[in-house]
Amino acid sequence: MRKTQRFRFRKIFPPHLKPSLTRPRPFKAYSFVPFSPLAMLDPTILTIGGIVLGIALIEQILNRWGVIDLVDQFAKVMCFILPVTFYSALIYFFATFMF
């Protein structure tokens, strides 16, 4: 018959672990709100918006002066420029905004 050796559990695994000398890293908190209203103050977005607003004001002034032919030309151009400008500014905003 073979003799079985016995090891005490405390001999294999010491009961007291050495305290770690490293400090825990600081906790990084992230915001769950991905949109900041201050991000709309981007100079590129403000410039594009100012140009579109200026063209709209020029169109209204020409309409008051009675230059209907030129206003129609502006309206035809603006029907294309406004959506393209809006969507390109929106894509630019989300491409450069840091989430």
Side-chain angles (χ1 to χ4, degrees):
M1 190 160 26
R2 208 166 145 188
K3 187 174 181 183
T4 308
Q5 289 185 346
R6 293 186 184 177
F7 294 103
R8 295 202 179 263
F9 184 77
R10 293 177 189 225
K11 222 178 203 184
I12 299 171
F13 299 105
H16 300 291
L17 296 175
K18 294 179 183 177
S20 64
L21 298 176
T22 60
R23 293 182 182 176
R25 286 189 267 172
F27 178 75
K28 291 184 179 179
Y30 294 99
S31 174
F32 291 107
V33 181
F35 179 74
S36 171
L38 295 177
M40 292 298 285
L41 295 177
D42 184 27
T44 307
I45 301 251
L46 290 176
T47 303
I48 292 171
I51 290 170
V52 171
L53 188 62
I55 292 172
L57 287 174
I58 289 171
E59 185 180 356
Q60 289 297 320
I61 290 170
L62 290 175
N63 193 13
R64 285 188 185 175
W65 286 353
V67 189
I68 302 300
D69 295 334
L70 199 54
V71 171
D72 287 339
Q73 293 298 325
F74 264 107
K76 287 178 185 175
V77 171
M78 291 302 282
C79 284
F80 175 73
I81 288 179
L82 281 177
V84 170
T85 306
F86 172 73
Y87 288 117
S88 61
L90 193 66
I91 290 169
Y92 172 80
F93 173 71
F94 283 115
T96 59
F97 183 66
M98 300 299 249
F99 288 102

